[in-house]
Amino acid sequence: MTFSLTSLIVDAADLESESSFWHRLLGGSITRTATHHFLQLDGFPVIVIQQAPEHVPPRWPDGASQQMHFDLATDDVGSADKRVLDAGGRRLRPTDDVAPSAQQGSRVYASPAGHPFCLRSA
């Protein structure tokens, strides 16, 4: 028996804001329905943004656990930082709060719906 990943589902109260953020960040194409937005990326499974009117962003980093998060690799973390912020993301930890050894390698952000993700050096 084998498994294959068909999609990653994220909840959001605001479908347009969340799907537009991931589209601006990752590219691809979006198919919209009343309750779901489907982001298709070349060579990667669909990311599905699911309507969840009662969605409350996680309280990270104050100790609340995460159910999951994205890791994105980039060859230029500094330029990617600007792109994330321009697309509507926010830093969960100030860049000057990152350990010097990680400054070049990893930064923590949240999407508009509050889903955490990391940018890491490729």
Side-chain angles (χ1 to χ4, degrees):
M1 173 188 290
T2 61
F3 292 94
S4 61
L5 182 64
T6 60
S7 59
L8 177 61
I9 313 294
V10 297
D11 289 350
D14 182 344
L15 286 175
E16 191 60 41
S17 175
E18 188 71 4
S19 64
S20 293
F21 170 77
W22 291 111
H23 182 252
R24 285 192 303 269
L25 199 60
L26 301 175
S29 61
I30 298 175
T31 302
R32 293 168 171 84
T33 71
T35 59
H36 294 80
H37 287 191
F38 301 86
L39 177 61
Q40 177 67 52
L41 304 173
D42 292 334
F44 192 82
V46 174
I47 297 174
V48 181
I49 295 80
Q50 174 176 269
Q51 181 71 50
E54 304 300 321
H55 172 73
V56 176
R59 296 173 300 152
W60 195 95
D62 72 354
S65 65
Q66 300 175 39
Q67 292 184 13
M68 64 118 219
H69 73 272
F70 290 91
D71 274 357
L72 302 176
T74 179
D75 59 357
D76 185 345
V77 173
S79 293
D81 175 82
K82 181 177 179 347
R83 186 168 171 181
V84 167
L85 300 176
D86 288 349
R90 63 182 171 87
R91 290 185 191 106
L92 289 180
R93 180 173 48 195
T95 57
D96 59 358
D97 190 36
V98 177
S101 62
Q103 187 73 23
Q104 296 296 320
S106 178
R107 295 184 183 173
V108 184
Y109 301 86
S111 72
H115 296 289
F117 67 97
C118 297
L119 287 180
R120 301 188 184 285
S121 293

